DNA sequence: GTTCAAGGCCAT
DNA sequence: ATGGCCTTGAAC
């Protein structure tokens, strides 16, 4: 029942339970970590099939390539991964997370408020919609999750291509190497100046 | 002082 | 490499 005490949403990537907002939307803890590792270490995956692998709780480990692709397709944002690796604080998505939460919360309130529970026959009298919280009648719920966000066209999201967008997307060092699978050593090698990029954490 | 998402740690 | 849990820290 309670939407907050359980977060009954499912991860749009793998279907596992979400643990909160991560890099732009609600995802599970594992996909959060996977996305972070992938972007931070500039991992390059190659699908052994045709980029059509099923990503679910039990198979998400099987094809990192399709998993990362799906991460991007569902809207996880590269720019939410900090190139400078600074911890804590709030990024520019903070307000959006808050609004998205409010939307979901209100939607839930409507549903539980008899929104879709049409009286099972009998009384033909219209029930007065009492908004417990005193909210105004919402025009309509767009149903989509993050409407106000500006989803970059999927084209520019693909890591396989050269050009990236911004922030971490300067893609650090795509030129770092070829052949050797190890971008690694991000810990010892402090890459990049403290670039501010699009991450507006002032 | 509280939030809570972003990064770090480390046992699988 | 994965993912559960921990620490951090600007916004509120
Ligand atoms: Zn997931
Ligand atoms: Zn695949």
């Amino acid at each position: 029942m309670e939407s907050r005490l359980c977060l009954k949403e499912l991860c749009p990537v793998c279907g596992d339970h979400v643990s909160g907002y991560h890099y732009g939307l609600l995802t599970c803890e594992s996909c959060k970590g996977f996305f972070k590792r992938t972007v931070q270490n500039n991992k390059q995956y190659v699908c052994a099939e045709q980029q059509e692998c099923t990503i679910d709780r039990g198979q998400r480990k099987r094809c990192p390539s399709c998993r990362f692709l799906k991460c991007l397709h569902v809207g996880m944002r590269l720019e939410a991964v900090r190139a400078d690796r600074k911890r804590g604080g709030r990024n520019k998505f903070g307000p959006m997370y808050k609004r998205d939460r409010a939307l979901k919360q209100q939607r839930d309130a409507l549903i539980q408020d008899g929104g879709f529970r049409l009286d099972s026959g009998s009384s033909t009298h219209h029930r007065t919609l009492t908004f417990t919280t005193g909210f105004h009648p919402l025009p309509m719920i767009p149903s989509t999750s993050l409407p106000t966000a500006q989803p970059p066209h999927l084209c520019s999201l693909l890591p396989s291509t050269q050009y990236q967008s911004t922030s971490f997307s300067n893609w650090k060092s795509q030129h770092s190497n070829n052949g050797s699978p190890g971008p690694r050593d991000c810990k010892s090698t402090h890459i990049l100046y403290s670039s501010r990029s699009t991450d507006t954490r002032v």
Side-chain angles (χ1 to χ4, degrees):
Chain A
M1 320 298 216
E2 302 310 281
S3 49
R4 264 138 269 86
L5 271 70
C6 197
L7 284 181
K8 52 192 171 76
E9 307 265 343
L10 298 182
C11 177
V13 178
C14 72
D16 204 347
H17 296 297
V18 308
S19 65
Y21 287 90
H22 303 296
Y23 309 108
L25 41 72
L26 290 168
T27 74
C28 72
E29 192 69 14
S30 74
C31 287
K32 164 203 167 190
F34 171 77
F35 190 77
K36 180 186 67 175
R37 286 194 303 273
T38 300
V39 178
Q40 281 182 337
N41 300 313
N42 191 17
K43 300 241 169 112
Q44 322 268 10
Y45 305 120
V46 178
C47 176
E49 307 303 321
Q50 281 65 59
Q51 276 80 46
E52 299 172 358
C53 303
T54 300
I55 305 299
D56 58 40
R57 173 92 194 268
Q59 295 186 332
R60 64 193 180 199
K61 281 203 285 273
R62 205 170 302 284
C63 184
S65 176
C66 287
R67 187 182 187 179
F68 187 57
L69 231 49
K70 194 168 179 183
C71 283
L72 296 172
H73 274 73
V74 300
M76 292 183 81
R77 311 293 273 98
L78 290 169
E79 73 230 67
V81 179
R82 303 169 182 173
D84 53 21
R85 295 192 176 227
K86 277 191 174 25
R87 301 228 240 133
R90 287 281 186 274
N91 63 18
K92 68 178 182 184
F93 294 110
M96 175 182 64
Y97 294 149
K98 185 181 178 185
R99 289 179 316 131
D100 188 58
R101 222 169 230 158
L103 280 177
K104 293 179 186 300
Q105 178 183 118
Q106 293 174 39
R107 181 178 61 83
D108 247 37
L110 281 182
I111 292 176
Q112 97 164 91
D113 209 336
F116 290 97
R117 257 300 277 283
L118 291 180
D119 266 358
S120 24
S122 67
S123 19
T124 35
H125 88 295
H126 31 297
R127 58 184 297 112
T128 23
L129 291 178
T130 18
F131 295 87
T132 49
T133 39
F135 272 115
H136 310 240
L138 301 172
M140 196 50 225
I141 295 94
S143 76
T144 54
S145 29
L146 303 167
T148 42
Q150 38 107 271
H153 305 170
L154 294 163
C155 332
S156 57
L157 290 172
L158 302 178
S160 0
T161 54
Q162 306 91 341
Y163 41 80
Q164 295 302 323
S165 32
T166 37
S167 67
F168 206 103
S169 41
N170 55 20
W171 216 220
K172 203 166 49 168
S173 45
Q174 200 213 2
H175 49 266
S176 59
N177 51 59
N178 263 349
S180 286
R184 69 205 65 188
D185 65 53
C186 283
K187 289 170 182 166
S188 39
T189 313
H190 280 158
I191 25 70
L192 297 176
Y193 9 87
S194 30
S195 61
R196 251 158 258 303
S197 5
T198 33
D199 194 351
T200 336
R201 284 176 297 108
V202 205

